[in-house]
Amino acid sequence: MIDSGSSERVREFSPAQYIAPYLLLIIGNAGVQNAPASDRLVVFCVFAAIAALGAVSAVVRLRRMWNTHQRRALPAWTRFLGVLLALYGLYVAYCVVDGIAG
């Protein structure tokens, strides 16, 4: 007999889980803005890769947050953290594209 409670484990939600995506996005954004692609291409590419890793980790974090919100009720400020993370990720993506184009 399979216990359905043990096969589907719900992860505990913690605001500290947002730290890694934010840090990667902040570092990537700062590097992209300070190292233009026309002057220092290698450094720009490194920081663009860090920003891309931050974007991927943000998407993973937002998907997990969405699944957690589907299963149980959490405070509204946790959704606000998710919205801020999504908006900042879009801003960083814009900065990287702008750095490549300009």
Side-chain angles (χ1 to χ4, degrees), residues 69-80:
H69 276 279
Q70 295 286 328
R71 292 187 178 124
R72 59 190 159 133
L74 292 174
W77 61 268
T78 58
R79 291 180 190 221
F80 181 69

Side-chain angles (χ1 to χ4, degrees), residues 7-89:
S7 64
E8 183 179 324
R9 195 178 108 220
V10 177
R11 294 182 181 199
E12 289 296 320
F13 178 79
S14 169
Q17 296 170 345
Y18 286 99
I19 292 174
Y22 272 117
L23 284 178
L24 287 170
L25 288 171
I26 289 169
I27 292 169
N29 186 33
V32 164
Q33 289 183 352
N34 291 329
S38 60
D39 294 343
R40 296 180 269 177
L41 183 61
V42 174
V43 176
F44 178 84
C45 289
V46 167
F47 283 111
I50 291 172
L53 183 62
V56 168
S57 67
V59 167
V60 169
R61 175 60 41 218
L62 290 171
R63 287 187 68 202
R64 288 182 182 167
M65 183 200 68
W66 179 259
N67 290 335
T68 303
H69 276 279
Q70 295 286 328
R71 292 187 178 124
R72 59 190 159 133
L74 292 174
W77 61 268
T78 58
R79 291 180 190 221
F80 181 69
L81 278 178
V83 168
L84 283 179
L85 181 61
L87 290 176
Y88 189 64

Side-chain angles (χ1 to χ4, degrees), residues 83-97:
V83 168
L84 283 179
L85 181 61
L87 290 176
Y88 189 64
L90 289 173
Y91 171 73
V92 171
Y94 169 75
C95 288
V96 169
V97 170

